[in-house]
Amino acid sequence: MVAAAGAHRPGPLKQQNKAHKGGKHSGSSQRRAGGRVSVKAQPRRRLRDLSRVDRRHQALQLRRQRKEAVLAEKRSLGSRDGPPHLVVLVPLHSRAAAHDTLRLLQSQDSAVVHLDEGKAGGFVLLCPRLKQRWRFVTAQAGDLHAVLDLAKVADSLLFILDAADGLDSAGEHCLSCLFAQGLPSYALAVPGDADLPLKKRIDTRKKLAKAIEKRFPEAKLFPLNTEQESSLLLRHLAAQKQRHLAFRDRRAHLLAYAAEFVPGQESDLVGTLKVSGFVRGQTLNVNSLVHIVGHGDFQMGQVDAPPDPLSLNPRVVKGQKRSQDMEVQDDSINGTDEMEEDIKVLMKADPSKQESLQSEVVPDPMEGEQTWPTEEELQEAEASLKENRRVVKVPKGTSKYQAAWIVDDEGGSEKDEDGDEDDDIDDDMMEEAVSQEGGSSEEEEEPAEEECETMTVSECLRDDQYDEKVEEDEQMLERYKQERMDEMFPDEVDTPRDVPARVRFQKYRGLKSFRTSPWDPKENLPRDYARIFQFQDFSRTRKHLFRQIQKEETEGASVGWYVTLHICNVPVSVMESFKEGKPLVLFSLLPHEQKMSVLNFLVRRHPSNSEPVRAKEELIFHCGFRRFRASPLFSQHTSADKHKLERFLRPDAALVVTVYAPITFPPASVLLFKQRSNGMHDLIATGSLLSVDPDRIVIKRLVLSGHPFKIFTKTAVVRYMFFNREDVMWFKPVELRTKWGRRGHIKEPLGTHGHMKCHFDGQLKSQDTVLLNLYKRVFPKWTYDPHVPEPVPWVRSESVLPVQEVEME
C-alpha cells in the first residue's frame, strides 16, 4: 500500500537495453561500420522531464523574473538613475486647452523647473518626495510631423479631449497616424467640465466614453479640474505598464533638451551641433551614425557627460546655481554652455572603427571590361567565329531569351500536331521588321499610362480664379476612369495600329506558366542596381545584430545618462528649426542602415481615403524613424517567386510597395501620405516593413485581346489582336487563353491584315474573348528624397461623431 502512493519515474540514468536487430541488411551495415559504435547522446526530452514539484518551481521562478523585470522598468523610468518620464500632451480638439492642463500639473507640491514656453512648450516636474521626475512637452496643434516625432520617443502620451465634443476631424486624423506608427502608453484627460451641472456632467462623460470607445475600448477618462485630480493622473502615468515599440527599443534615441550650433571654419552654413539630452532605449556608441529625424544621417565626433540639470537631489554647494540655471533655460537653448562646471569627455570617435556615411556604391563604368587582346588572340577568335557563326536577325532590344524563340531557316518546315504546315519566316520579312522599327534604336518609351506625372499646383481660393481648378478636377476624373477600366479589364491594352506589335512590345516575353516558369533575378538589371547594397543573407545579418543588442555587447553611454553629442557637418537649418520650437529627435543607426537598397513594404489602403493612387506617383513615407519621398511600385503579396505589378493601390487587398530607400531592419511601421495641391498630407495606406530584397521580381503583365470571327469545333479565326501578318508570326510561340477558361495556340496567319487561325482545347463561345499575355520585369524609379516639406495644418471640423457612425455602418 505504501508503494502505491506515488508512481515511479525513471531518472536520466535508466538502463537502456539494446534494440532488436531487425531488417534484412543489419549484418551488412555492421560490417560497413567496421566495429565502430556511435556515441549515444542523452536526449533533450529526457533532460526536460521534471517532476511536478520541479515544474511548478520552474514556472514560479519564470513568473517572478518577469514580474521583477516589469517592476524594475517602472522604477527606473523617471527615477534618479533613469531618464525623466517623458509625457507628450496631444490636444485632440481645437477647444482642448493644453495650457490649463500644464498649469494644473505645475501646481503639485514639488520643484517645478520651467523650460522656455515659446520654444519647448512644456516644463520639467521634479518630485523629491515621490522620487520621480517628469518632462512634459506639448505638441504644436496641427503640426503632424511634430506629433509623430514626439510619439517616437515619448514614454507616455496624454491626450487632451474636449468636454463636449471629444475630438474633431483633425484629432481623428492624428489618432489614425499614431495608431499606424505605434502607440506608446497613453492616458485620456478631460479638462474644463467643472462649470457644468452635476447631472449634465455625468451625461457628457457617458457620451464622451461612448464616442472614444471605438479607439480606446478599455480606456479610463481622467477629469482634470483640481490639483487632486492632477495628482491621480500623475500616479496613473507613473504606475501604468509601459508599451514597447520594437523599432525604438533596439536603437538608442533621445529628445534634445538643449542644443548649441558651432559654425565650421569653411562656412557658417555647416558646423558642429551639440545636442544635450537623456539616452533612452539602448547604449549609445560614439562610432555609430546618428539620424536626426527629418534632416538626415550624420557622424558624431565625441560624447560629453555634463552634470545632470534635472537631478532629484542636487548638491548643497552648487544647488542654488543649478536652480538658477534651470529657470533661465533660454540661454542653454540658444546655444551657450548649460553649466559652468567641468564637463567630462566620455569618449571620442575612432576613425578606424567609425561607421562611414557612404550610402551608395559608386559604379565603375569600366568594371567587367577586359584588357585589349593581342593579335594572336584576335586571329584565333576570328577563326572560331567563322567556323561556328550563325546569324539570326532580330529587332533591336531583343533579349537572348526572346531570340531563342525565333524560327531558323535552316531547320526546314515543321508540322504542328494537326499535320498542317506553317510558313517559315523568311529573310525579307525580318528585314522589313527591322526597317519598320527604323528610328526606334533608342529604348522604347513606356506606355502613355506610365509617362504621366503628378504636379503640385498652388490652390487658389479667390472667386475670380475658382475655375482654374477645373483642370485639376478633370485630371482626377480621368484617374477615376482609368482605375475603373483597370478593374473591369485588368492589364488589357489596345494593339497599336501605327507601330508593329513586335516592335512596340519587344521588351516583353511570353511565359508558359506565370507561377512555375523560370525567371533569372539577375537578368537585365538597370544601372541603378549598381548603386545599391545587397546582403548575402539578410535574415542572418539581422538576427546577428539583434543578438548582439540583446547581449548588451555595445560600449558607450548607458541608458539614463545625460550626455552632449557633438554631431559633425550639420547644416544650420537644423538649429533654426529647433529654435522655432520643433522637436529635435535623434536615433542611432544600426550597422548598414545608412546604405541604399530596395525596400518592400506590406501595406493596406486606409479607409479614410478613396482617391485613386497610381503606381510611380510621388508619395511620402514615414518608415520607423525615417521619412522620405519616393515613387513606388505596387505588386501583389504572394508566396511565389514572381509578383504581378498592380497599376493602382487596391482598396480591398494588401499590396507590397517597392522603393529605393536606406536599409532599415524590421520590424518597423510605415505610413504612406499623399500631398494635396494645397500642401496638406492625406494618409492613404499603413503597414509594416516586409523585407530588404533587391531580388524580388515584380512582373508587369500586358494582355492583348482578340475576338473570334469564325468558330469551328476546336478551331477559330481570331481578329483584332494583330493587324499584320508579321506580328502573328512573331507571337506564334506564345500560348493563348480565353476569359472563359479555354487554352490554345496560334496555328497560322490568314491574309495580311492580322487574322489568324487558332486551335483550342474546346469549342469557343461567340461571346468569348481571346487573350495573349506578355510579361516584363519592372523596377522602381530612383526618386528617393530625404527632405519632406512640412504639411499644412489639417482643416478642423467641430465634431467627428457623425463620421464615426458612418464608418461603423
Side-chain angles (χ1 to χ4, degrees), residues 42-57:
Q42 188 71 19
R44 293 187 177 181
R45 182 180 60 82
R46 179 74 61 175
L47 294 177
R48 288 199 301 265
D49 281 345
L50 303 175
S51 64
R52 182 169 57 179
V53 177
D54 292 338
R55 289 198 304 270
R56 286 182 177 177
H57 184 60

Side-chain angles (χ1 to χ4, degrees), residues 149-150 152-153 253-256 291-294 583-587:
D149 292 348
L150 288 171
K152 289 180 176 69
V153 294
H253 56 275
L254 61 86
L255 176 65
H291 176 80
I292 302 178
V293 177
L584 189 60
V585 178
L586 285 76
F587 276 84

Side-chain angles (χ1 to χ4, degrees), residues 35-46:
R36 294 187 298 271
V37 180
S38 60
V39 179
K40 183 178 179 182
Q42 188 71 19
R44 293 187 177 181
R45 182 180 60 82
R46 179 74 61 175

Side-chain angles (χ1 to χ4, degrees), residues 749-761:
L750 299 177
T752 59
H753 294 282
H755 291 206
M756 55 188 182
K757 184 190 294 185
C758 303
H759 183 81
F760 294 93
D761 57 358

